[in-house]
Amino acid sequence: RGDERLDTIFVELTSPTERWAHQSILARWLDTREDEAARLDEEIGTEVEALGRSLQAVLGNPALKDKYHFLVKQKQAMTNEEFFRAHAHEIALCVPLPEAPEVN
C-alpha cells in the first residue's frame, strides 16, 4: 500500500494434530481482516470526499469562512467535525449541486 507501514505478524502453529484446523482459522481471520481494511479505506474515502465538498462550501462563503477561521483555526474552540455538524444547515445551502451529465 504505497508508503503505509504494515506490521508483520508471525504465527507459529505448534500443534501437530490441529495444525490444519488452525491454518484454516488463521486464513479466515486474515480474509476478514483484509475485508475490514478495504471497507475502512472506502469509508475514509467517502468521508474525505464529503469533507472536501463541505470545506469548499465553507471557504466559498465569506461569513462561514470567517467563522471557520475564528472557531477552528484561531481559537481552536471546535474541531472540523464539530464545526461542520454545528453549521450543517448553512453549509448545505452553500454546497454546489453536482454537475449534470452532458447530453449530445
Side-chain angles (χ1 to χ4, degrees):
R1 289 193 202 182
D3 61 348
E4 292 180 16
R5 183 178 161 266
L6 298 177
D7 292 327
T8 302
I9 299 172
F10 292 96
V11 177
E12 184 177 355
L13 304 175
T14 59
S15 173
T17 58
E18 298 294 323
R19 182 182 184 114
W20 298 113
H22 292 167
Q23 283 182 336
S24 175
I25 293 168
L26 179 61
R28 285 191 309 239
W29 179 79
L30 289 171
D31 289 342
T32 302
R33 186 171 181 227
E34 289 174 2
D35 291 345
E36 288 175 357
R39 212 175 9 244
L40 181 61
D41 286 345
E42 186 177 314
E43 288 176 16
I44 289 172
T46 303
E47 289 176 10
V48 166
E49 185 179 315
L51 182 63
R53 285 193 307 268
S54 296
L55 189 55
Q56 287 176 352
V58 167
L59 297 178
N61 180 304
L64 280 174
K65 182 179 179 180
D66 290 343
K67 289 179 187 178
Y68 177 80
H69 282 295
F70 180 75
L71 294 170
V72 178
K73 298 298 181 184
Q74 290 178 358
K75 295 294 180 182
Q76 296 180 347
M78 301 176 102
T79 64
N80 285 329
E81 294 81 15
E82 291 169 338
F83 181 86
F84 291 135
R85 241 189 338 267
H87 296 87
H89 181 71
E90 296 169 84
I91 293 169
L93 296 174
C94 298
V95 172
L97 296 173
E99 293 183 22
E102 292 184 25
V103 178
N104 292 336

